[in-house]
Amino acid sequence: MVPVTQERKNIARPPTARERAVDVSFRWITRIVAGLTAVVVALIVILVAKQAVPAIVKYGPHFVVSTHWDAGKGQCGILPEIVGTLLSSTIGVALAAVFGIAVAVFLTEEFIPRWLESVLKNVVTLLAAIPSVVYGLWGIFVVIPAIRPGCNWLHGHLGWIPLFSTPLLSVGLLPAALVLTIMILPTVTAISRDAIAAVDPLLREAAFGMGATRWETILGVTLPTSRRGVYGAIVLGLGRALGETMALAMLVGSANVISPSLFSPADTLAALLANKFPEAASPLDLGALMYAALVLLILTLLVNMGGEWIMRRDSEGEGAKRAGTKTGTKEVAK
Amino acid sequence: MFGISGCGAPSGDVTLQGSGATFPAPLYKRWFLEYYRQNSAFRVNYSPIGSGAGIRQFTSGLVSFGASDAGMSQKEIAKLPEKFGGVLLLPMTAGLIVLSYNVAGVQQPIRLSRTAYVRMFLREITKWNAPEIAKDNSGLKLPDQSITVVTRADSSGTTYAFTTHMAAVSKALGVDWTPGVDKSVAWKESIAAQGNDGVAALIQLTPGAIGYIEYGYAKLAGLRMAALENQSHSFILPDEDGKSGEKALEGAEIPDDLQIKVADPKSSEAYPIVTYTWILSRKHYEDPREAESLKTLFLHCLEDSQQKIAQELGYVKMPSPVVARLRTELQKLTAAR
């Protein structure tokens, strides 16, 4: 048995030189690692930009508004790819947000027993472990045959609506966006689930106590309180959707067209890079692809900044409200 | 990469690395495996990473030899390091490019005239029951279905060979072949997939599709193949034993650099779209054993028994003058002095 006095003495003693060294080196290691992360990102941007220089000089800003890609003839434009990337990601994220938040609410609001909740939660998380190629194959062999009759019926009967103006041949924008939805569902679900679960139970109980129904509580209290986390989930999902490569390269059709139709084949920036990179030989070819990569980087950055801005604007309003009413809602971690 | 393997293997073992075209990959892998079985001190790895990437790795000296379906351009040859002493372009085998399609309810192979298939890829013919197609297929009931053209999304030697042929035919027909000739071209309205196998899968998936792929891949996927009209106006099917391919290769002029082009074969029995595929070797290797090993390997692949394997896998047997010429050419492969 250790004498009590001995223990007290130990606690009160000043830090040894060794402990101080550990402290200092730990602080420096964290600084260096954090700094390195920023350096890596900066290096990637710089290297991509550097390799893109020949193409930037040759094609200039025309690159992002031109629709023709024929590297052999020295013509490169990526407007169809930009449009395709934005369209497929927007559709994918919109659907994933609806499903993901619904699943997150279902998993947190005691609709089902605890054990079933954790089983379902793990099943959704497992979706994130499936390789991209498998999603691509699943899209080709399951999704496309499943949605084709419905899509072609829509085209046959409502073909005058621009959204349905082409038939669904096989690969195309809609199958790509649907598979994308499933792929980003785990991201959106997991993060919004955590945000919703972090809402103070007292708030919920108070709402019930005031006679609110479950609907009113979820829509009026739980979701608004956790919205920062839910926004964060959607922005992260969008980031993943913009950069997703393999499954989209397999499903989107790699067609250099801009069409208002959901069923038309399209192309995305990431798919273009994956398809053309292995054989890009000359500095100009490589430059054009790096230019496209740079555009994709900027696009992703803009989306993230946009998301951040929405969140910040929103929480500013929240702060004002909070100051006014003097009620402290629990801050929800992003 | 050349080296002596260290993991307890007897010294003197040689491991060589090659990379390039996907088109002949199944054959090369089989050849090199057969050779290893007979000669276990000598192992060759082949990575099918595409013709363009193969040329790049060969040029930068990362691999012992490269492989390309499009040979090498003068510009590419000019970039080779001096110590290579020049390049040997060795046509090792040849293959057919077929037009595969997905048209329901048509049992007999569809016959496509030169005008018909050129204009299909130019998107001037867009329906399967167009008169230009129907006139050569009187016995068939062609559906009123849109044609979807399937092409390669990546840059490939198959595209190069196919567009070479299409440009030659267009010229003969007096049609303007707008996509041009390259490893990757801008097609008008097509859907695209990566690799021969990707195109095969997309044709299978898309009703009304037509696309160009290497014969072996089409056979493997069980796709239907069109009978194509050749320069002498006979309709020729890509056949199992490769006879129509051999006819196409016969009598082609052999240029000094061995980049034999058969853009539009003349023989009336010839299948119209055939291409050679090349192995790229240095003239001089620093290590005498590397030079000797490669020379022995390549000579071995030219033997009748090995060329027969090529035929079994759906490639075309090379004409004997080309093989004889290759044997002489390989004598130039030596160790650097």
Side-chain angles (χ1 to χ4, degrees), chain B residues 72-257:
Chain B
M72 272 178 100
S73 67
Q74 288 309 316
K75 242 166 129 185
E76 285 161 344
I77 291 174
K79 276 192 209 149
L80 291 173
E82 199 136 319
K83 65 169 186 188
F84 284 15
V87 62
L88 294 176
L89 293 157
L90 311 164
M92 296 304 283
T93 189
L96 307 182
I97 295 172
V98 303
L99 292 183
S100 281
Y101 55 86
N102 178 350
V103 181
V106 178
Q107 297 306 323
Q108 297 290 319
I110 295 178
R111 291 149 56 99
L112 294 175
S113 67
R114 286 153 78 85
T115 327
Y117 70 75
V118 166
R119 291 185 56 198
M120 276 165 114
F121 278 83
L122 286 172
R123 301 297 290 153
E124 290 168 9
I125 298 176
T126 54
K127 288 273 185 190
W128 278 104
N129 61 355
E132 292 89 341
I133 303 174
K135 83 174 168 48
D136 298 307
N137 296 283
S138 44
L140 300 180
K141 207 177 157 319
L142 291 163
D144 177 22
Q145 192 174 30
S146 295
I147 298 173
T148 304
V149 170
V150 183
T151 60
R152 287 285 286 268
D154 48 340
S155 142
S156 89
T158 313
T159 304
Y160 180 82
F162 181 65
T163 49
T164 306
H165 169 77
M166 294 300 256
V169 172
S170 301
K171 204 173 156 201
L173 293 174
V175 178
D176 183 21
W177 178 251
T178 45
V181 176
D182 210 334
K183 280 180 273 200
S184 160
V185 299
W187 297 101
K188 201 176 161 196
E189 292 171 39
S190 78
I191 53 176
Q194 234 178 341
N196 269 306
D197 41 355
V199 173
L202 206 46
I203 294 172
Q204 222 159 15
L205 189 68
T206 314
I210 186 165
Y212 58 93
I213 39 177
E214 200 267 324
Y215 174 77
Y217 287 90
K219 203 172 103 179
L220 199 69
L223 291 171
R224 296 186 186 285
M225 308 172 208
L228 301 182
E229 185 192 6
N230 63 18
Q231 206 182 119
S232 323
H233 306 295
S234 9
F235 287 86
I236 307 288
L237 260 182
D239 51 345
E240 191 89 17
D241 57 5
K243 279 276 171 295
S244 60
E246 281 173 50
K247 287 285 176 204
L249 298 181
E250 261 173 27
E253 192 192 329
I254 307 177
D256 279 344
D257 62 358

Side-chain angles (χ1 to χ4, degrees), chain A residues 73 148 170 253 255 275-276 279-280, chain B residues 50-52 56 153 178 192 205-206:
Chain A
K73 289 180 188 156
R148 187 153 51 193
S170 53
N275 283 328
K276 305 284 184 202
E279 302 246 355
Chain B
S51 300
R56 258 210 323 270
T178 45
L205 189 68
T206 314

Side-chain angles (χ1 to χ4, degrees), chain A residues 267-289:
Chain A
D267 202 359
T268 71
L269 285 168
L272 177 86
L273 290 173
N275 283 328
K276 305 284 184 202
F277 190 75
E279 302 246 355
S282 74
L284 188 62
D285 285 0
L286 208 61
L289 291 177

Side-chain angles (χ1 to χ4, degrees), chain A residues 149-160 164-168 261 263:
Chain A
C151 294
N152 286 340
W153 185 88
L154 278 175
H155 168 66
H157 291 80
L158 299 168
W160 50 272
F164 310 132
S165 56
T166 61
L168 182 70
S261 170
F263 310 145

